[in-house]
Amino acid sequence: MNRNPDDGEPLLAVDHLSMRFGGLVAVNDVSFAARDRQITAIIGPNGAGKTTVFNCLTGFYAPSVGRLTVSHSGQRWWLERMEAHRIAGAARVARTFQNVRLFGGMSVLENLIVAQHIKLMRASGFTLAGLLGLPVYRRAERAAVELARYWLDRVGLVDVADWQAGNLPYGAQRRLEIARAMCSEPRLLCLDEPAAGLNPRESADLSQLLTFIRDHHRIGVLLIEHDMSVVMAISDHLVVLDYGRKISEGPPAVVRHDPAVIRAYLGEDEDESESEDRADG
Amino acid sequence: MNPTTAVTATSRVQTLDWSAALKDAGLAGLVALLLTLPLVGLRTIEVQSRLTVEPHLAEVALTALLVFLGRLGLTLAAAGLARPVLAAATLALAAGWVLPFPTEALRVLMVIGALVVALRALWALHRRHDRLSQQERDRRMDHLGARFQDATRLIGPAAVMLAVALPFLPFADRATLDLGILLLTYIMLGWGLNIVVGLAGLLDLGYVAFYAVGAYSYALLAQTFGFSFWLCLPLAGLLASFAGVMLGFPVLRLRGDYFAIVTLGFGEIVRIILLNWANFTGGPNGIAGIPRPSFFGIADFTAAPEPGRLAFHQLFGLQYTPLHRIIFLYYLILALALLVNLFTLRIRRLPLGRAWEALREDDIACTALGINRTTIKLAAFAIAAMFGGIAGSFFATRQGFISPESFSFIESAIILAIVVLGGMGSQIGVVIATLLVIGLPEVFRDLAQYRMLTFGAGMVLIMLWRPRGLLAHREPTLLLHPRQSAFRRQAEAGGRP
Ligand SMILES: Nc1ncnc2c1ncn2[C@@H]1O[C@H](COP(=O)(O)OP(=O)(O)OP(=O)(O)O)[C@@H](O)[C@H]1O
Ligand SMILES: [Mg+2]
């Protein structure tokens, strides 16, 4: 919490995060902060350690060193100590995956309902009230469907709501994954390369969607992205990683002129937007 | 079929490459020759207390010849000569029955080989005009599955009504009812296991363990404490689900194959405990004289009731017949099975059931949405175990006698086969698969020796033909646009948007 001059505590503070895999240091002493109602982008060449940061944040990896603090609603969570499902459920951190992970055999709408599991589970009296068909549960389910409809509308998938998710075209699957994350009503949304594999028009729509989410929902967005047109257009704050280290940080206009960044990243292959699909779970 | 046949199949008719076909068949014959030579061709026998090697070269040669012919037949059938091949295979089939063979095994080889070739030829004839790719075939079957799912709205209730009416139909004798009870027991077990395997996607190879726990719970509780069946039924369910949780805690962290192996081990452990803890479980002798259920505690199914008790036929003023109890048991298992079905249908629409299915689809995404995998899996395990235990105590009361032999791995395998063949997660699929897997072999009991063989062959065929199970189509549990059911239309459109 050292670097940002903005007022108050940041939504997410990453302090001295390191992640080692045997001899490989995938993330090396990285610190940064992400604020509410802002889009914070993490960029860097392939293998820089971006996805690893996400996996540490969301509890899929236990960081070797570091403190990950999420603060909102007057409470504070130390993510490095929490189980993955509690990070999503209690600290309200949602994420998408670099290689889309939908519930392919279920319908689009069901994907969004599953995202509201915790809320609905409670409403169904941990299944008992649901089995009896009590009205409490039916009301909760209707509300859940309404929330799902809202997000389907936002990502333009209302018409295909009853389709099997696995049969959607790729771009639609990516949007559905974002809608699913939003249906879990997160305070911090982590998106891992949401524009990968999208055509320029879809990318532009995505930018619009993300700015809408930032401006109209009380949420902070953490964005990993290779597509510089998206990153430069919508992010408020940029963190640049290279070989696991943070090499630069700041507003996009500043970072893009940072010689270290140009050397390490932008200079190399600026318009490479497709990255290898790497296992990231 | 294997790759070579498939390749020949696609470029068929125009140029039938005889030399390639002969070479291929020759190769198969050679392999058979090499394999059978040491295994069959040379046999050690004892002559005057000394081991000598006795050659059986005729058998080896015959085997190789049969394999050669069979392979050639398969290739030719695929290559457009289906008619002559079919004729030849039928002839060989008939010849297999009557010709004298040096050993019985050769006869079986010939008959089965000829049968396979004949089937292949029939298949080729049947599909002459539309040669479908695997994908296309899958799509059609999905379509069919969707249709069928629609039809189950009618078929389901109709089947239930038939099942309810069965004891009063004219042909319903004791044997029919016994078969009905057997089928319903497996249907109940299939529906129970379907929760774990079909919905939650956990491959459980030891389901029979819970069946055993339920059966022994009832037997021991009833014999030791004199508890009635109606008290023991829920208790057995609870105990089995407790066993499920006990197994679940350490095991659910494991994934996929590891999980399957450990559940397999658990099933065997339970059986071995039952076998060896003789002074508690009766060991290999099992437990006999397990009390029969009463008519809800009101009346007994006996010709002459004990003093102070009422008999069923007296209660309703009927003529006594032993069939009453069978009919009662039949309705009991029918009700229990339907209860499991109702439960599953209901829970699929609740958050817990949806979480199971989501877990099956992608457990990592589940975690990222805040779903606690362990508790969800544990719930699936405990609930399925409970139903298994209830089925087990029914089994105990019906048989009146149980022993560890009834709870061997093959039972687990059969129940699993029912679930997988039916199409994972499909309720009606379980019923159809049970009819196939349990019903058919019972009907063809005369073929005694070959029962398991045909069972295995049937499984292989179905898996080749329809890897995802007979009825793998899945309907969404809730719709945003109820009237259109876009899901189904999309399935019919081939899954393309
Ligand atoms: N589970 C793991 N075990 C071992 N090494 C890993 C593991 N996960 C990631 N790594 C390594 O850590 C480094 C950083 O990987 P990471 O996936 O975080 O890169 P990235 O910045 O997301 O790259 P990309 O842009 O290609 O997605 C890579 O060298 C990768 O091989
Ligand atoms: Mg990555």
Side-chain angles (χ1 to χ4, degrees):
Chain A
M1 300 155 224
N2 24 20
R3 61 211 67 265
N4 217 308
D6 285 19
D7 52 314
E9 212 171 345
L11 180 62
L12 168 74
V14 173
D15 289 301
H16 305 290
L17 174 69
S18 294
M19 183 73 219
R20 261 179 231 108
F21 298 107
L24 176 83
V25 186
V27 178
N28 194 350
D29 196 26
V30 169
S31 302
F32 67 92
R35 306 202 150 262
D36 219 355
R37 298 174 189 279
Q38 284 198 353
I39 295 177
T40 306
I42 304 177
I43 61 170
N46 289 141
K50 307 178 295 292
T51 300
T52 306
V53 170
F54 267 28
N55 283 338
C56 289
L57 278 175
T58 47
F60 288 103
Y61 295 159
S64 310
V65 183
R67 164 138 294 179
L68 310 164
T69 320
V70 165
S71 333
H72 59 77
S73 344
Q75 265 183 295
R76 203 182 271 159
W77 292 268
W78 287 295
L79 305 186
E80 75 278 3
R81 298 184 183 175
M82 295 168 71
E83 283 175 278
H85 69 93
R86 297 254 311 134
I87 290 175
R92 312 217 72 82
V93 178
R95 73 171 288 180
T96 65
F97 294 86
Q98 188 166 347
N99 43 352
V100 184
R101 284 181 171 277
L102 290 172
F103 305 127
M106 301 172 81
S107 79
V108 170
L109 179 62
E110 282 173 315
N111 269 267
L112 302 188
I113 299 295
V114 170
Q116 305 175 52
H117 173 82
I118 299 176
K119 195 171 65 183
L120 287 173
M121 196 69 177
R122 214 167 285 139
S124 77
F126 299 91
T127 306
L128 233 59
L131 276 180
L132 299 174
L134 295 189
V136 199
Y137 174 67
R138 266 179 285 144
R139 256 199 312 278
E141 192 181 75
R142 263 201 300 279
V145 171
E146 280 319 304
L147 182 64
R149 189 197 294 274
Y150 172 82
W151 282 110
L152 284 174
D153 193 29
R154 291 261 70 97
V155 300
L157 294 176
V158 175
D159 290 340
V160 293
D162 297 326
W163 284 36
Q164 202 173 334
N167 286 343
L168 292 178
Y170 188 71
Q173 293 200 8
R174 282 228 172 262
R175 276 177 288 151
L176 175 58
E177 210 190 9
I178 296 174
R180 187 180 66 181
M182 285 311 294
C183 274
S184 68
E185 300 173 272
R187 289 300 315 274
L188 177 66
L189 175 66
C190 305
L191 303 170
D192 199 344
E193 300 196 22
L198 301 190
N199 63 36
R201 246 211 63 204
E202 289 174 318
S203 289
D205 288 346
L206 176 78
S207 300
Q208 228 170 24
L209 173 68
L210 295 186
T211 44
F212 170 84
I213 288 176
R214 172 192 61 189
D215 296 339
H216 294 87
H217 290 268
R218 200 179 154 73
I219 194 170
V221 178
L222 208 55
L223 170 71
I224 294 177
E225 191 44 73
H226 280 290
D227 185 339
M228 283 306 140
S229 67
V230 174
V231 171
M232 290 302 166
I234 65 170
S235 53
D236 303 290
H237 190 78
L238 227 60
V239 176
V240 190
L241 299 184
D242 191 19
Y243 291 111
R245 291 184 170 279
K246 186 176 80 178
I247 56 168
S248 180
E249 179 177 13
V254 178
V255 168
R256 99 192 311 161
H257 300 299
D258 187 332
V261 176
I262 295 171
R263 202 170 43 249
Y265 184 73
L266 296 178
E268 275 177 22
D269 35 14
E270 183 172 356
D271 31 14
E272 183 189 82
S273 60
E274 299 243 344
S275 69
E276 279 177 48
D277 224 10
R278 209 182 284 249
D280 63 337
Chain B
M1 295 295 113
N2 82 8
T4 23
T5 356
V7 168
T8 347
T10 41
S11 59
R12 66 194 186 103
V13 187
Q14 297 90 336
T15 49
L16 171 55
D17 191 347
W18 275 98
S19 73
L22 284 173
K23 215 190 282 175
D24 179 48
L27 198 66
L30 192 66
V31 170
L33 190 71
L34 290 178
L35 278 179
T36 45
L37 194 61
L39 293 177
V40 181
L42 303 173
R43 231 171 279 173
T44 48
I45 49 163
E46 223 181 74
V47 182
Q48 292 157 0
S49 75
R50 261 188 314 157
L51 279 183
T52 50
V53 175
E54 186 191 64
H56 285 252
L57 293 182
E59 288 171 36
V60 171
L62 270 175
T63 311
L65 181 67
L66 285 180
V67 169
F68 171 81
L69 287 177
R71 178 71 207 190
L72 191 65
L74 285 179
T75 315
L76 295 184
L81 287 176
R83 255 174 236 283
V85 169
L86 181 62
T90 320
L91 225 82
L93 191 61
W97 286 117
V98 291
L99 281 184
F101 280 94
T103 62
E104 213 40 27
L106 268 178
R107 185 193 303 280
V108 172
L109 177 72
M110 174 139 182
V111 168
I112 290 184
L115 201 66
V116 168
V117 174
L119 282 176
R120 180 69 186 86
L122 268 178
W123 180 243
L125 276 179
H126 171 66
R127 296 201 322 160
R128 175 123 77 183
H129 300 296
D130 55 336
R131 192 164 287 281
L132 305 175
S133 66
Q134 173 73 32
Q135 226 177 355
E136 178 74 358
R137 206 150 22 112
D138 261 2
R139 203 176 68 66
R140 291 199 174 186
M141 283 302 292
D142 273 347
H143 186 166
L144 206 70
R147 283 278 176 78
F148 199 82
Q149 214 83 13
D150 269 352
T152 48
R153 264 171 259 274
L154 300 173
I155 292 178
V160 171
M161 274 194 293
L162 181 70
V164 170
L166 181 75
F168 300 107
L169 296 182
F171 60 85
D173 53 2
R174 166 122 200 201
T176 317
L177 285 176
D178 274 339
L179 182 60
I181 291 173
L182 184 74
L183 287 174
L184 282 168
T185 313
Y186 277 101
I187 288 175
M188 176 169 175
L189 287 170
W191 277 338
L193 185 63
N194 200 13
I195 293 173
V196 175
V197 176
L199 292 185
L202 302 166
L203 188 55
D204 181 355
L205 294 179
Y207 192 56
V208 78
F210 307 123
Y211 189 46
V213 168
Y216 272 84
S217 298
Y218 170 60
L220 291 172
L221 284 173
Q223 287 207 329
T224 323
F225 302 109
F227 288 179
S228 79
F229 175 74
W230 298 101
L231 179 62
C232 287
L233 201 63
L235 277 181
L238 276 180
L239 284 172
S241 100
F242 183 67
V245 172
M246 286 237 300
L247 165 70
F249 261 122
V251 162
L252 288 175
R253 297 176 179 282
L254 302 176
R255 288 201 181 176
D257 302 346
Y258 300 102
F259 178 83
I261 296 291
V262 174
T263 52
L264 178 105
F266 182 75
E268 282 303 286
I269 288 171
V270 167
R271 191 177 62 86
I272 289 168
I273 289 177
L274 294 177
L275 206 56
N276 287 299
W277 196 1
N279 49 10
F280 185 57
T281 63
N285 299 330
I287 300 175
I290 299 168
R292 303 296 189 158
S294 60
F295 185 70
F296 303 108
I298 304 168
D300 295 327
F301 293 97
T302 51
E306 288 164 29
R309 297 279 302 168
L310 207 59
F312 178 78
H313 62 280
Q314 294 169 335
L315 185 68
F316 289 93
L318 300 168
Q319 191 68 38
Y320 172 77
T321 132
L323 216 54
H324 284 158
R325 194 181 64 226
I326 307 293
I327 293 175
F328 179 69
L329 285 172
Y330 174 83
Y331 279 125
L332 179 59
I333 187 66
L334 181 62
L336 289 174
L338 285 178
L339 184 79
V340 180
N341 182 36
L342 219 63
F343 175 87
T344 308
L345 290 180
R346 186 110 214 188
I347 201 137
R348 274 195 62 210
R349 296 167 185 283
L350 291 176
L352 185 59
R354 293 205 185 102
W356 285 338
E357 293 201 72
L359 209 64
R360 179 191 65 200
E361 299 288 325
D362 193 321
D363 57 341
I364 286 177
C366 274
T367 309
L369 293 171
I371 296 174
N372 185 348
R373 282 187 294 201
T374 315
T375 51
I376 295 293
K377 286 183 190 174
L378 219 50
F381 232 68
I383 291 172
M386 180 180 75
F387 291 139
I390 291 177
S393 59
F394 173 82
F395 175 75
T397 196
R398 173 186 114 102
Q399 299 292 70
F401 165 76
I402 50 173
S403 73
E405 244 171 76
S406 313
F407 308 104
S408 58
F409 170 67
I410 190 76
E411 291 296 315
S412 284
I414 286 175
I415 303 165
L416 187 69
I418 287 172
V419 174
V420 174
L421 285 183
M424 306 257 263
S426 166
Q427 292 295 96
I428 194 88
V430 166
V431 178
I432 292 172
T434 310
L435 293 179
L436 286 178
V437 172
I438 306 293
L440 281 187
E442 283 302 317
V443 173
F444 292 109
R445 251 194 190 283
D446 300 340
L447 294 174
Q449 297 174 39
Y450 302 109
R451 230 148 60 97
M452 289 320 275
L453 194 69
T454 32
F455 175 68
M459 292 274 282
V460 170
L461 278 181
I462 293 181
M463 281 294 114
L464 278 178
W465 173 58
R466 185 126 175 97
R468 287 189 297 133
L470 289 171
L471 293 173
H473 181 77
R474 176 183 178 280
E475 278 288 299
T477 57
L478 88 175
L479 296 171
L480 197 64
H481 314 291
R483 243 159 299 156
Q484 310 171 325
S485 179
F487 201 74
R488 189 166 322 119
R489 273 194 292 124
Q490 170 211 6
E492 289 172 15
R496 277 177 300 275

